[in-house]
Amino acid sequence: LMTAGSAVVCGSEMSAILLRSDAVLLIVLLVAAMEPPPAVACAVAAPFRGVHGGTFISTGDPPLCLSVARRLRYLGSFQFNLGSVARVERYVFADSAGGRVRRMLILQFEGILPSSDEIYRYPIRTPAALAGVDYQHDVFFDSVEKDIAEAPGAETAHTVAFLRGKGLHLDDEQMFSRFARPVGPDRKHELIFFYQEPVRTTGHVLSEVSRDGRALPEFRALAEALDVHARAAFALRASH
């Protein structure tokens, strides 16, 4: 037992207090580590999608204007077909040291191929508003190697190959904050923001902090801190 003023605090209560204090400190440190995004200038002739004057601009599907924290350097983009259903464009921003990715932001624009009758059907169950528009938001934990083994032609495999071409290594165990939504009344396009960091930065390994991709209850503070860091990594000015 410990006393706090006139109150008696048992060991489990004190552990909860300390855990909460650690979580608050971690959030403060994560936000402090990321410089705010620079001011945004969005004037560009259509059609255009890419970085212009230090700002990421898309003039369609959807139109948006986005600034990224200065520490996240723009590495470039790549495209590929996701099976026979969709075309994917990925725009990659990363902070690295010693050839290892320390944090990464990926903008993914996806569109159903003309030959497919598919649409993006998922509902927005856990919304997060960006520039006044709701996105389906999730924080999850994953293994890069496992993801590539399960889907060798999907996003992770292409991203690892892209990074390798830039001389960069992506740790196997990653944690993600993801914002996604269908675009347009026909739901034929999709926009996703992925922010990710290696699990090792927390001082833990994947099996300790998560199960089935979700943070264990005692490690929810890690997921909350990552999400704060994700929201500090970019500023979205417009999205329709």
Side-chain angles (χ1 to χ4, degrees), residues 19-228:
L19 179 60
R20 186 61 182 169
S21 298
D22 289 345
V24 171
L25 177 60
L26 180 57
I27 289 172
V28 170
L29 291 174
L30 287 173
V31 173
M34 188 72 71
E35 298 178 36
V40 175
C42 295
V44 66
F48 181 83
R49 182 178 291 155
V51 174
H52 177 76
T55 300
F56 184 89
I57 300 172
S58 171
T59 58
D61 294 326
L64 63 82
C65 187
L66 179 141
S67 58
V68 178
R70 292 175 177 87
R71 184 172 292 188
L72 293 167
R73 180 171 58 94
Y74 181 56
L75 299 182
S77 66
F78 59 94
Q79 302 181 21
F80 61 95
N81 280 3
L82 197 57
S84 60
V85 176
R87 183 70 174 170
V88 176
E89 298 176 27
R90 289 198 132 194
Y91 298 82
V92 183
F93 300 79
D95 173 30
S96 62
R100 299 177 77 177
V101 175
R102 298 194 297 189
R103 53 181 68 88
M104 184 161 63
L105 174 69
I106 295 176
L107 282 57
Q108 179 164 321
F109 295 80
E110 194 170 315
I112 301 296
L113 293 170
S115 58
S116 174
D117 294 328
E118 276 294 340
I119 62 172
Y120 295 98
R121 305 175 187 277
Y122 61 86
I124 295 178
R125 299 187 188 278
T126 53
L130 299 176
V133 178
D134 281 345
Y135 289 73
Q136 171 62 27
H137 177 245
D138 305 277
V139 175
F140 62 97
F141 298 73
D142 202 3
S143 160
V144 169
E145 294 176 2
K146 178 178 72 67
D147 203 33
I148 292 175
E150 293 175 351
E155 292 96 328
T156 302
H158 286 281
T159 302
V160 168
F162 171 81
L163 292 171
R164 189 180 299 120
K166 302 291 182 179
L168 295 174
H169 169 76
L170 187 66
D171 282 21
D172 174 46
E173 298 184 345
Q174 297 282 315
M175 46 190 184
F176 301 80
S177 181
R178 174 180 58 194
F179 305 81
R181 69 176 179 91
V183 173
D186 60 0
R187 302 176 74 91
K188 286 286 190 179
H189 293 85
E190 182 185 35
L191 173 63
I192 314 175
F193 300 103
F194 291 93
Y195 177 82
Q196 63 192 86
E197 294 181 359
V199 175
R200 66 176 171 81
T201 61
T202 69
H204 297 281
V205 296
L206 194 64
S207 60
E208 292 176 335
V209 302
S210 67
R211 181 173 297 124
D212 298 326
R214 303 299 173 184
L216 292 170
E218 60 268 35
F219 289 103
R220 283 178 186 157
L222 296 181
E224 293 170 2
L226 178 75
D227 189 42
V228 170

